Amino acid sequence: MQAFTTLDGIVAPMDRANVDTDAIIPKQFLKSIRRSGYGPFLFDEWRYEDRGEPEMDCSKRPKRADFVLNQPRYQGAQILLARENFGCGSSREHAPWAILDYGFSCVIAPSFADIFYNNCFKNGILPIVLDANTVDDLFRDCFAQEGYRLSVDLQAQTVTTPDGQILHFEVDAFRKHCLLNGLDDIALTLADADAIRAYEARRQQEAAWLF
Amino acid sequence: MGQTLFDKVWQQHVVKANDDGSVLLYIDRHLVHEVTSPQAFEGLRLAGRKPWRRAASVATPDHNVPTVDRDKGIADPVSRTQVEALDRNCAEFGITEFGLDDVRQGVVHVMGPEQGLVLPGMTVVCGDSHTSTHGAFGSIAMGIGTSEVEHVLATQCLIQKKPKVMRIQVDGALPTGITGKDIALYLIGQIGTAGGTGYAIEFAGEAIRALSMEGRMSLCNMAIEAGARCGMVAVDQVTLDYVQGRPFAPKGALAEQAEAAWRQLHSDADAVFDKELRFQAADIVPQVSWGTSPEMVLPVTGSVPDPADARDDVQREGWQRALDYMGLTAGTPIAEIAIDKVFIGSCTNGRIEDFRQAAAMVRGKQVAASVKLAMAVPGSGLVKAQAEAEGLDQIFRDAGFEWRDPGCSMCLAMNADRLEPGERCASTSNRNFEGRQGMGGRTHLVSPAMAAAAAIAGHFVDIRDWQ
């Protein structure tokens, strides 16, 4: 997994609540057996006028000019600013894969759906929760200033605005450690193999029907 | 102090407590399907890892499978590749799979309980958010992403933080015509799609106890639509009767020992919850969703809301966008909304009771001429066989329904079953998101009986008045 340490990037505002994972990456793209290549299909139904299919060459597809990611000022954005309950719905990890593949590695919102939030950390994406009023202010500034950027520091757990305001965010210590170091948590769990075996031996005595 | 049901099951599965408050949680059952597993198996392969306990995982293809002409194979080459990848991965890693030619194949959340692969008090995971279904057995069941699918395959564990626990009590007798689906939709309408975020929800109260296992599964299935990764119902005689005798359920002395343990799977009288909500069953009437989020739901007696009545700007914009997408006008009575297609099936409502309830509505009647397609899609090969043994397939066919082979079908439209832009569907599935059933498709979530009655009438009707 790619580590996440600091990021200074252009912010793209996704100004709607309850953005679901079906919207982030529609179902037809879930047929792929790979982890990459989803970026061109991120928000496919909102981004293009035609129906997308896997393996399509998206450079020739008609784009919806009013969609945020199609606007010139947000090209190259690396931080996605979102509203409440971002990533609700399906557990498809194709959603964070598409977000990452597009070029975002940080999503800021007042709240996230649990499974999506968790999936982000497994893929080198930092999801940041800030309170609704703060997110509102960020939306306002982002719309007002072309080229609006934020600077994120995971170690310090801060987001810094262009005018120097420092916003603090919370992140679970273990997830932070894994993300900062790009750690594979399977290897960490396998370090506890003896504890897992001991647990299984005990449970086999207590609840043999489970084995 | 007493323990909640959730705490009891959680505690039994803690392998190791970490310093930061997370735990290594043991997973008893891992259900696998073709869409969220290929990258996980590939991960194992690249790292040279093997499944920790092969017998804990059971697979079946469901999301991508055709529901007609199955003998001709899968026409879509991309879908076929994915289903074949599951076959290959299961063979390579020694995991039991009920493949397309097996009568036990079906929607993973129908197949699991049907086979007795899901038992009370288990921890159950699957790379699918509707894994919450299995909480109906008093188990902790949750959807996971593909990285965690790989993690469970490799270690039989997950690193988890204990969620908060909410009890939702639904008091009073279950009114006639009200199903687990209506309760689920009603509760989501009340608490919102993020109302359960960060929580495990225990559903309790007289109306919940009155539900069959099928009804409890429909309810827990949709806990995720309220934002909760798991929904749960305490074990009672209904649970034990359902489990008994199923192929993978314990038999003989072991079954007795298991039942004694399972009878403890309820919240203690003095258990303390992080949050408690109470509702009255008498307030629930058959539900119909009108918008593009499961919380945009109304009683069938209601009318499409006016964005002017929204609580704030964010909701107002959401409602307006939903009205535009759904092609609806504020103030339209729900019962006047005409439909183009009907879908009965899915992990929410693809079980035998669902087809019995739907068949009871259509028996001796005809699908309205204005309805282009009405589909009944059994949740598994065994549900299909059972329905056929009861003659339900004939009732559906005689009424003008198509009777299909099992799969996820038009719940998420990954196979050929989908809505065309602008088409409106009465659907027993779980999500009415934009594009969920096909780009531009308009989904109204309802119970099986409500979907069946809508197929006959051509528009939504209050099944409490159905003749």
Side-chain angles (χ1 to χ4, degrees):
Chain A
M1 183 178 79
Q2 182 92 22
F4 183 107
T5 50
T6 59
L7 173 67
D8 180 87
I10 294 175
V11 181
M14 177 59 59
D15 191 12
R16 52 198 284 178
N18 299 310
V19 171
D20 59 75
T21 53
D22 274 84
I24 296 172
I25 185 82
K27 82 278 296 182
Q28 62 270 38
F29 306 107
L30 275 51
K31 296 176 187 177
S32 167
I33 56 174
R34 295 176 299 142
R35 266 179 195 263
S36 58
Y38 299 97
F41 308 107
L42 175 69
F43 298 115
D44 196 82
E45 289 184 9
W46 295 346
R47 196 162 148 200
Y48 303 100
E49 287 176 6
D50 60 341
R51 170 148 55 198
E53 292 296 340
E55 315 289 328
M56 254 182 169
D57 177 1
C58 291
S59 64
K60 299 188 177 66
R61 295 176 60 196
K63 292 193 170 82
R64 296 183 195 272
D66 57 344
F67 182 64
V68 56
L69 298 186
N70 291 333
Q71 295 171 25
R73 62 186 286 194
Y74 301 120
Q75 297 315 299
Q78 291 172 282
I79 298 173
L80 187 66
L81 183 62
R83 294 288 185 185
E84 65 189 30
N85 201 27
F86 187 83
C88 61
S90 152
S91 65
R92 60 189 70 167
E93 202 159 312
H94 311 68
W97 293 339
I99 286 172
L100 189 70
D101 199 51
Y102 178 88
F104 292 114
S105 52
C106 175
V107 187
I108 300 176
S111 60
F112 292 90
D114 285 340
I115 303 176
F116 176 83
Y117 184 77
N118 194 39
N119 282 342
C120 283
F121 286 100
K122 308 285 184 191
N123 292 284
I125 300 170
L126 174 63
I128 295 178
V129 177
L130 294 175
D131 71 80
N133 289 335
T134 305
V135 169
D136 242 358
D137 292 344
L138 294 179
F139 267 100
R140 190 196 55 216
D141 294 347
C142 186
F143 286 129
Q145 300 166 35
E146 194 155 340
Y148 185 79
R149 303 174 77 89
L150 288 170
S151 180
V152 178
D153 185 335
L154 176 56
Q155 181 61 50
Q157 297 181 215
T158 56
V159 177
T160 308
T161 66
D163 56 8
Q165 195 192 352
I166 295 175
L167 308 166
H168 185 81
F169 63 88
E170 294 299 324
V171 59
D172 183 77
F174 177 71
R175 283 170 163 155
K176 176 179 172 179
H177 172 69
C178 289
L179 202 49
L180 278 172
N181 298 289
L183 293 180
D184 166 2
D185 58 4
I186 294 178
L188 293 176
T189 298
L190 285 173
D192 286 323
D194 289 345
I196 301 171
R197 283 193 201 96
Y199 171 87
E200 285 179 324
R202 176 166 66 78
R203 280 296 275 174
Q204 233 155 353
Q205 298 298 313
E206 287 170 7
W209 60 87
L210 292 172
F211 292 87
Chain B
M1 192 177 78
Q3 282 186 302
T4 66
L5 167 61
F6 183 89
D7 289 342
K8 288 180 185 179
V9 180
W10 179 272
Q11 209 169 60
Q12 286 171 355
H13 290 86
V14 174
V15 171
K16 184 186 162 215
N18 300 316
D19 296 338
D20 66 346
S22 67
V23 303
L24 195 58
L25 194 73
Y26 192 80
I27 304 303
D28 295 316
R29 180 65 67 215
H30 180 200
L31 302 172
V32 179
H33 65 85
E34 79 277 22
V35 175
T36 55
S37 65
Q39 296 87 351
F41 284 114
E42 184 63 14
L44 289 187
R45 213 174 276 125
L46 291 172
R49 289 175 177 137
K50 298 222 166 337
W52 179 273
R53 183 158 76 87
R54 287 180 310 188
S57 298
V58 179
T60 193
D62 57 2
H63 283 59
N64 255 317
V65 304
T67 60
V68 283
D69 296 333
R70 198 166 268 189
D71 52 330
K72 296 184 185 134
I74 304 177
D76 177 351
V78 194
S79 290
R80 188 170 64 237
T81 300
Q82 200 169 49
V83 172
E84 286 172 355
L86 181 68
D87 296 343
R88 259 198 325 276
N89 285 328
C90 288
E92 179 184 338
F93 289 99
I95 286 167
T96 300
E97 184 199 5
F98 302 143
L100 264 188
D101 54 354
D102 192 313
V103 73
R104 296 169 292 186
Q105 177 271 334
V107 180
V108 73
H109 306 307
V110 176
M111 175 278 285
E114 187 172 74
Q115 289 299 314
L117 287 163
V118 173
L119 298 172
M122 275 184 163
T123 43
V124 182
V125 297
C126 173
D128 189 282
S129 58
H130 291 110
T131 308
S132 58
T133 306
H134 311 291
F137 292 82
S139 64
I140 292 179
M142 56 194 170
I144 55 178
T146 297
S147 295
E148 288 189 327
V149 169
E150 185 181 338
H151 197 281
V152 172
L153 283 168
T155 70
Q156 211 51 49
C157 292
L158 282 177
I159 300 163
Q160 291 286 302
K161 265 230 157 104
K162 191 165 161 293
K164 291 179 281 187
V165 186
M166 180 193 308
R167 177 161 63 184
I168 296 184
Q169 195 143 322
V170 185
D171 295 320
L174 196 62
T176 308
I178 302 304
T179 64
K181 180 65 165 289
D182 297 295
I183 299 177
L185 288 170
Y186 174 81
L187 293 175
I188 295 161
Q190 296 293 312
I191 71 172
T193 49
T197 303
Y199 287 92
I201 299 177
E202 181 180 344
F203 299 103
E206 184 187 344
I208 307 300
R209 300 252 72 84
L211 293 172
S212 63
M213 283 313 294
E214 284 88 345
R216 295 177 191 183
M217 283 190 259
S218 301
L219 174 61
C220 291
N221 173 279
M222 291 195 70
I224 185 66
E225 308 313 329
R229 276 180 92 177
C230 11
M232 295 179 98
V233 176
V235 172
D236 61 9
Q237 196 58 45
V238 175
T239 326
L240 301 178
D241 290 347
Y242 180 96
V243 169
Q244 196 185 39
R246 299 207 171 251
F248 287 82
K251 311 276 181 329
L254 202 54
E256 283 175 35
Q257 195 191 335
E259 280 203 17
W262 294 342
R263 285 184 192 281
Q264 308 306 311
L265 296 174
H266 53 79
S267 290
D268 295 329
D270 56 346
V272 176
F273 293 84
D274 298 295
K275 189 168 185 177
E276 289 214 62
L277 296 171
R278 284 186 103 118
F279 298 92
Q280 298 301 319
D283 292 341
I284 307 177
V285 300
Q287 301 283 303
V288 182
S289 74
W290 62 269
T292 52
S293 161
E295 71 184 24
M296 295 174 179
V297 67
L298 285 166
V300 64
T301 50
S303 298
V304 175
D306 189 334
D309 298 330
R311 67 168 179 260
D312 56 35
D313 286 346
V314 171
Q315 189 179 57
R316 188 160 17 258
E317 275 171 40
W319 283 11
Q320 189 56 57
R321 197 178 281 129
L323 288 182
D324 295 344
Y325 181 86
M326 295 295 289
L328 292 172
T329 310
T332 306
I334 294 290
E336 286 180 13
I337 298 174
I339 53 160
D340 303 304
K341 287 185 175 171
V342 176
F343 169 60
I344 301 178
S346 84
C347 60
T348 314
N349 283 126
R351 300 183 179 81
I352 189 66
E353 179 185 274
D354 300 312
F355 293 100
R356 287 177 187 145
Q357 289 173 353
M361 308 305 285
V362 307
R363 186 191 299 271
K365 298 189 170 70
Q366 283 298 310
V367 170
S370 58
V371 172
K372 293 182 220 170
L373 173 69
M375 285 164 56
V377 186
S380 71
L382 288 170
V383 169
K384 185 173 190 235
Q386 173 71 29
E388 289 174 356
E390 296 178 19
L392 304 183
D393 60 321
Q394 204 54 49
I395 294 172
F396 284 114
R397 284 204 180 96
D398 289 347
F401 271 78
E402 291 191 13
W403 179 250
R404 298 288 189 95
D405 285 321
C408 296
S409 182
M410 211 162 67
C411 172
L412 87 166
M414 262 191 89
N415 68 354
D417 309 336
R418 67 182 179 204
L419 299 179
E420 295 304 320
E423 282 184 340
R424 191 179 296 287
C425 182
S427 180
T428 67
S429 54
N430 39 56
R431 291 195 171 124
N432 51 352
F433 298 153
E434 285 184 24
R436 172 76 178 182
Q437 294 192 291
M439 187 180 176
R442 295 162 171 167
T443 304
H444 294 272
L445 304 174
V446 287
S447 73
M450 285 288 288
I456 304 300
H459 55 84
F460 293 108
V461 289
D462 188 342
I463 54 162
R464 296 172 305 173
D465 306 328
W466 192 248
Q467 301 288 319

